[in-house]
Amino acid sequence: MPASKTRIGVLCVLASTAFFSLTATFVVNAYDSGANPVGVLTVRFAIASVFMVAARRILRPNVPWPSRRVTLELMGLGCSSYFLGALLYFNALKRMDSGLAIVIFYTYPILVVFGNWLINRHRPSRNIVIALAMSVTGVVITVGQVGDATGAGVLLCFASTLTYTTYTLGSARVLPKTDLFTGVTVVMLGAFTCFALLATIGSPFIEVSFPETRDGWINVVLLAIIATALATGVFFVGIRNLGPNTTSLLTTFEPVLTIVAGIAFLHETFTLARGIGAAFVIGALIVFGLLESRSTKTPEIL
């Protein structure tokens, strides 16, 4: 692989990771302006879907849309596990700080390996089991320092992790049926469809609150453009240049950057115990990435 292509790929993945790490900052600021998870997510996916469709038209002008059957499968993926995972995670962010949430959430790559074992009988190696043990140890240490988090927040975050694991396993089956960028665009449209229905039809039973201030709306728009559409776009440039294995390894910096952003922008506290817990989880992710990079059969993790 040419060195210039590798450099571009690394820069794109790191930029994507930095953009994604700002998610919690934008979300918490939107909540402070009176918005709630359903309101924020509806606007987020509405704006991001428009950007993704426009970007696809520019970047994939000659690539046809998938067949009706594949489109329905992708929409179903967006309407189920992707929709539910986002809803659970954003509800968790109302009940806990972003540093704790991201540490819990980032156990999902290793859970995917075990899910693949249960479903497809791909038994993980002993080294992967060690990585999982490190990850679980880190989460236990970190959750022991919950700070302002509630038990409900921790449970919601774990549920989001399990749901996103299901989404990733489903993606490995459905996304190869079309090009990756198109597939994720359709999945995002599926998620937007569900949130739009939830915000309209479900409104008599489910509270839907949008930002009440200009700053709140600015944060939701930045969430959609920077931490969703732009982050996804440069991520796919990176994965195209580097491949899924190296990309997965580089994305392990997201928990670190999210913790830093929480401290810098949300005034969250950072304790030694949390640092040790995060180090276990991030170390496990690095071990996981290095081990998986030796395999040619690693499924893409989005």
Side-chain angles (χ1 to χ4, degrees):
M1 181 183 296
S4 60
K5 188 176 181 180
T6 301
R7 284 196 295 270
I8 291 172
V10 170
L11 288 174
C12 284
V13 174
L14 291 178
S16 172
T17 300
F19 294 153
F20 277 126
S21 72
L22 294 172
T23 297
T25 298
F26 295 140
V27 171
V28 172
N29 287 336
Y31 290 164
D32 289 342
S33 75
N36 74 347
V38 177
V40 170
L41 284 163
T42 302
V43 178
R44 176 202 190 191
F45 281 108
I47 297 173
S49 294
V50 171
F51 268 78
M52 289 293 289
V53 171
R56 183 191 179 277
R57 186 175 180 83
I58 296 170
L59 299 174
R60 299 284 193 275
N62 300 317
V63 177
W65 287 92
S67 67
R68 181 180 300 179
R69 179 177 178 179
V70 173
T71 298
L72 290 175
E73 289 182 14
L74 291 165
M75 290 284 288
L77 196 63
C79 285
S80 57
S81 52
Y82 191 50
F83 158 78
L84 185 58
L87 186 61
L88 289 167
Y89 185 72
F90 275 49
N91 270 282
L93 285 175
K94 283 187 70 70
R95 297 166 173 83
M96 63 199 307
D97 66 42
S98 62
L100 175 56
I102 198 66
V103 169
I104 294 173
F105 181 79
Y106 252 83
T107 58
Y108 87 86
I110 301 172
L111 293 178
V112 167
V113 174
F114 273 80
N116 198 33
W117 176 26
L118 294 174
I119 296 171
N120 300 317
R121 303 302 179 185
H122 293 166
R123 185 174 182 178
S125 67
R126 182 175 61 181
N127 290 331
I128 294 296
V129 174
I130 293 172
L132 177 66
M134 289 175 59
S135 181
V136 171
T137 299
V139 169
V140 170
I141 294 172
T142 307
V143 170
Q145 302 292 315
V146 293
D148 294 331
T150 65
V154 173
L155 290 175
L156 285 167
C157 197
F158 272 119
S160 173
T161 303
L162 293 173
T163 305
Y164 197 77
T165 299
T166 303
Y167 162 70
T168 305
L169 292 169
S171 298
R173 182 184 62 83
V174 179
L175 286 177
K177 297 179 181 180
T178 184
D179 74 283
L180 193 56
F181 194 89
T182 298
V184 172
T185 299
V186 177
V187 169
M188 194 170 291
L189 286 168
F192 164 65
T193 300
C194 281
F195 280 113
L197 290 172
L198 188 64
T200 53
I201 299 174
S203 58
F205 311 101
I206 298 173
E207 181 183 357
V208 182
S209 302
F210 298 104
E212 298 175 357
T213 66
R214 183 185 63 179
D215 287 345
W217 277 105
I218 289 173
N219 274 276
V220 174
V221 172
L222 291 176
L223 169 68
I225 295 174
I226 295 177
T228 308
L230 186 58
T232 301
V234 294
F235 173 82
F236 285 115
V237 174
I239 199 171
R240 185 176 60 190
N241 286 3
L242 298 176
N245 297 324
T246 303
T247 300
S248 295
L249 183 58
L250 290 173
T251 57
T252 59
F253 287 102
E254 185 177 340
V256 178
L257 295 177
T258 299
I259 291 170
V260 171
I263 295 170
F265 303 121
L266 301 176
H267 310 293
E268 295 177 352
T269 58
F270 184 77
T271 65
L272 178 60
R274 286 195 182 193
I276 294 172
F280 267 97
V281 173
I282 295 164
L285 289 168
I286 292 173
V287 170
F288 169 79
L290 290 172
L291 291 171
E292 289 293 275
S293 67
R294 299 173 185 174
S295 171
T296 58
K297 300 180 180 180
T298 304
E300 290 177 352
I301 298 176
L302 302 178

